[in-house]
Amino acid sequence: MPSSTSVDTLVIGAGPTGLGAAKRLNQLNTATWLLVDANEEAGGLASTDVTKEGFLFDVGGHVIFSHYAYFDDVIAEALPNEKDWYNHQRVSYVRRKNIWVPFPYQNNISVLPVEDQVQALEGMIDAAEVRVRAKDAPQTFDEWIMRMMGQGIADQFMRPYNYKVWAFPTTTMQCKWLGERVAAPSLKLSLSNTLYKKVAGGWGPNATFKFPAEGGTGGIWKAVAKTLPQEKLQFKRKVVNIDAKAHTASLDDGSKIQYKHLVSTMGVDYLIDNLKDADQSDVKQLKAAKEGLIYSSTHVIGIGIRGKQPERIGDKCWLYFPEDNCPFYRATIFSNYSPNNCPAEGAKLPTLQYADPTQGKPDSTPKDGPYWSLMMEVSESSAKPVNLQTILAETVQGCVNTELCLPGDEIVSLYHRKFTPGYPTPSLGRDAALSAILPTLESKYNILSRGRFGSWKYEVGNQDHSFMLGVEAVDKALYGAPEMTLESPDFVNGRRNAERRLTPSA
Ligand SMILES: Cc1cc2nc3c(=O)[nH]c(=O)nc-3n(C[C@H](O)[C@H](O)[C@H](O)COP(=O)(O)OP(=O)(O)OC[C@H]3O[C@@H](n4cnc5c(N)ncnc54)[C@H](O)[C@@H]3O)c2cc1C
């Protein structure tokens, strides 16, 4: 017999946003709450898969850069020991014309052929002139690129790379989402580095990062989930609809959960499609507005390789690929992040194929390691289709083309999974859509839709942001507190939030 429960606050989703909401509810300890998730375990898009050979792969390159002390405290509580983490210096390059250009590209054009240096510098000079004369702000991402970096860097790197990442042309994207993520170029620095033939080192917020020793990125969120009362986290429970006026969620097993407050981290498009009994005028408006929300899918392709991590790979962490000699926009040397991302050296695995299959059929007798691994990301959208039958082989070939692999490398594990949606596109229509959707859901139906696809803002869609979107949603629901992350992305991204968010009684 399907059950019926009633709670003060219902949280849908155990990704970082839902866990943020749950952590805050548990900390406040003022009202009843419950979290449900369709998956078998916590993590959402910040999870980690393990291949049958024992290689770990995240949902693409995940690195934590926290803007919040409260988030740091929660992560430190979940994984408190030094041995729980590996610390890394970011070593990141752009691969172009068979050259590894240190990131950020625009500060390191000294390593490019002279004709590219001239083109890049001329473009930067033109752009500086345009910036001085401009009376209005750029509207599209493409205009922003042209104004900040100029034609040379736009054509060499920014346009082709961003098309590969977003799966939509930069002309169809807005530019308000850009905060600290894209390095603002310095013409002086680019010029002097070029003349002195220098390269500029670590840039931006991710110059150093830490990565969990065990379980990949998903290990973090499983550990966070363990700090919560287990009976309040319910997995394999999918919400199939929300009754907007009765404040009731219906689940796929026929049960119902009634709530006073709802923090939903499902995709807001799914929520709208499955909202029952809302006013007809609202349904019409919400459905029309959601058409302005665009996403791309992410294919994650993992390769496990026999042998020591080669010297040509060195201590590289993640690498960007703007050219069309490979389908992926980014590759992560995942074995670099933790030795536990690969099977132990003594694990005996057969060779599945050589990196270049034309090298012949390998001997399939299981042999010892050591092993190393690569993880690639390929985007897909309505504007950029991907052939599911060939993408894996094209990716392996792309690794050979870009010298990530050598033709004779012995591949012992192959992983491919498509995540839909993967990236919330900062499209031109996004902000109008969100301002029609989120306030209506909140003010009329008491639904706080938050998270990477709950509130659809890429600029506050990383793990730390998502977690805090959940925390702040609870404070909004219970106390009417403002939500800094949702409402002021530039503010939260531009500073470090030292706030530790004590409970009201404390
Ligand atoms: C390719 C890629 C690279 C990334 N790189 C980074 C990075 O470098 N650094 C970083 O900090 N972040 C990164 N992120 C972002 C990070 O993964 C997100 O911040 C985070 O996963 C978003 O959390 P969320 O809880 O909002 O959503 P999700 O992780 O999507 O979680 C939503 C949860 O809701 C559940 N759910 C959905 N619908 C239902 C339903 N109907 N019923 C019940 N449950 C439901 C799902 O099962 C899921 O567990 C990256 C993401 C991707 C895709």
Side-chain angles (χ1 to χ4, degrees):
M1 167 99 180
S3 65
S4 184
T5 334
S6 177
V7 289
D8 196 68
T9 305
L10 174 65
V11 180
I12 303 175
T17 309
L19 291 174
K23 272 307 272 191
R24 186 63 176 154
L25 284 161
N26 192 49
Q27 182 189 25
L28 293 169
N29 198 22
T30 52
T32 56
W33 62 273
L34 189 66
L35 179 152
V36 292
D37 193 297
N39 280 346
E40 286 181 12
E41 52 190 13
L45 285 169
S47 296
T48 303
D49 282 345
V50 186
T51 69
K52 65 178 193 304
E53 295 86 6
F55 288 86
L56 272 60
F57 293 109
D58 281 356
V59 185
H62 268 73
V63 163
I64 285 189
F65 165 62
S66 167
H67 296 81
Y68 309 87
Y70 185 80
F71 174 83
D72 298 344
D73 290 348
V74 169
I75 301 297
E77 178 203 13
L79 293 173
N81 304 311
E82 223 168 276
K83 69 173 177 41
D84 293 331
W85 299 95
Y86 283 97
N87 290 300
H88 298 284
Q89 286 287 327
R90 176 173 99 165
V91 182
S92 177
Y93 290 84
V94 175
R95 177 80 172 177
R96 194 169 161 267
K97 290 195 170 171
N98 297 329
I99 299 168
W100 292 116
V101 184
F103 191 83
Y105 184 88
Q106 59 272 19
N107 291 349
N108 293 302
I109 54 178
S110 61
V111 305
L112 296 172
V114 172
E115 64 274 16
D116 286 357
Q117 295 177 3
V118 171
Q119 190 195 37
L121 287 170
E122 282 181 355
M124 288 175 83
I125 292 166
D126 289 342
E129 215 177 301
V130 173
R131 279 202 300 278
V132 170
R133 286 167 201 237
K135 291 196 174 56
D136 53 350
Q139 297 302 306
T140 69
F141 186 22
D142 201 71
E143 284 169 17
W144 185 93
I145 291 169
M146 285 295 286
R147 224 180 262 191
M148 297 291 278
M149 310 206 179
Q151 183 92 39
I153 290 172
D155 290 346
Q156 290 172 21
F157 176 56
M158 290 298 282
R159 280 173 173 156
Y161 174 70
N162 278 292
Y163 180 68
K164 281 179 92 176
V165 174
W166 294 102
F168 289 102
T170 47
T171 46
T172 65
M173 292 169 64
Q174 53 141 304
C175 56
K176 283 201 209 112
W177 61 278
L178 291 148
E180 62 194 314
R181 278 170 198 279
V182 182
S186 158
L187 175 53
K188 282 186 185 169
L189 184 68
S190 299
L191 189 63
S192 64
N193 282 349
T194 307
L195 293 175
Y196 288 123
K197 301 196 188 315
K198 255 175 58 182
V199 291
W203 164 82
N206 300 337
T208 60
F209 66 99
K210 61 179 187 174
F211 194 83
E214 303 279 349
T217 292
I220 302 172
W221 297 104
K222 284 189 197 166
V224 170
K226 274 200 193 130
T227 66
L228 289 162
Q230 298 303 291
E231 71 283 3
K232 294 191 175 188
L233 307 183
Q234 300 187 350
F235 294 98
K236 294 198 267 184
R237 299 198 76 191
K238 182 175 177 174
V239 172
V240 290
N241 68 58
I242 302 289
D243 188 321
K245 289 190 183 149
H247 289 192
T248 302
S250 298
L251 286 92
D252 54 354
D253 58 4
S255 62
K256 292 185 189 299
I257 304 171
Q258 205 182 28
Y259 57 81
K260 208 150 102 197
H261 308 289
L262 175 62
V263 178
S264 168
T265 77
M266 309 184 287
V268 69
D269 49 349
Y270 176 89
L271 171 66
I272 291 170
D273 283 340
N274 294 286
L275 195 63
K276 304 278 175 250
D277 200 29
D279 289 342
Q280 270 316 304
S281 56
D282 289 336
V283 171
K284 216 169 137 194
Q285 180 222 12
L286 290 169
K287 289 208 163 162
K290 106 179 152 60
E291 297 308 312
L293 298 179
I294 292 168
Y295 66 85
S296 58
S297 300
T298 305
H299 293 261
V300 179
I301 291 130
I303 305 181
I305 306 160
R306 193 189 320 280
K308 270 206 164 85
Q309 196 167 286
E311 277 189 15
R312 69 177 184 284
I313 296 292
D315 55 358
K316 293 185 176 75
C317 297
W318 65 89
L319 305 160
Y320 303 109
F321 296 87
E323 293 180 319
D324 58 10
N325 55 355
C326 61
F328 44 88
Y329 57 88
R330 180 162 64 177
T332 300
I333 319 299
F334 207 48
S335 45
N336 234 352
Y337 286 14
S338 164
N340 301 318
N341 290 345
C342 289
E345 188 167 341
K348 287 194 189 314
L349 295 174
T351 304
L352 303 178
Q353 65 165 83
Y354 292 118
D356 175 0
T358 65
Q359 302 272 313
K361 207 168 156 21
D363 169 13
S364 61
T365 318
K367 286 184 285 183
D368 283 339
Y371 302 101
W372 65 289
S373 64
L374 291 165
M375 179 171 67
M376 274 64 63
E377 290 154 66
V378 178
S379 68
E380 177 179 354
S381 74
S382 50
K384 178 177 172 287
V386 161
N387 184 333
L388 282 176
Q389 310 307 317
T390 56
I391 189 63
L392 187 55
E394 286 167 26
T395 299
V396 176
Q397 183 59 50
C399 289
V400 175
N401 296 347
T402 54
E403 291 177 0
L404 286 173
C405 288
L406 295 180
D409 279 350
E410 292 181 30
I411 294 180
V412 296
S413 183
L414 282 167
Y415 165 89
H416 173 208
R417 188 168 161 198
K418 178 177 171 180
F419 295 87
T420 301
Y423 273 59
T425 315
S427 60
L428 291 169
R430 182 199 73 173
D431 290 349
L434 290 178
S435 54
I437 294 169
L438 298 182
T440 304
L441 289 175
E442 187 178 330
S443 63
K444 289 203 64 177
Y445 303 109
N446 223 11
I447 300 173
L448 296 175
S449 179
R450 301 289 183 262
R452 187 166 172 98
F453 289 97
S455 41
W456 218 277
K457 285 191 176 176
Y458 174 75
E459 60 273 36
V460 283
N462 266 349
Q463 295 164 95
D464 62 319
H465 298 118
S466 299
F467 183 85
M468 291 306 294
L469 283 171
V471 170
E472 292 171 8
V474 166
D475 283 352
K476 170 78 164 281
L478 301 191
Y479 307 119
E483 297 175 87
M484 294 310 293
T485 304
L486 181 75
E487 290 158 18
S488 310
D490 285 347
F491 177 75
V492 297
N493 283 334
R495 71 194 283 268
R496 185 143 169 91
N497 291 282
E499 183 197 351
R500 297 215 117 86
R501 213 169 270 259
L502 300 170
T503 54
S505 58

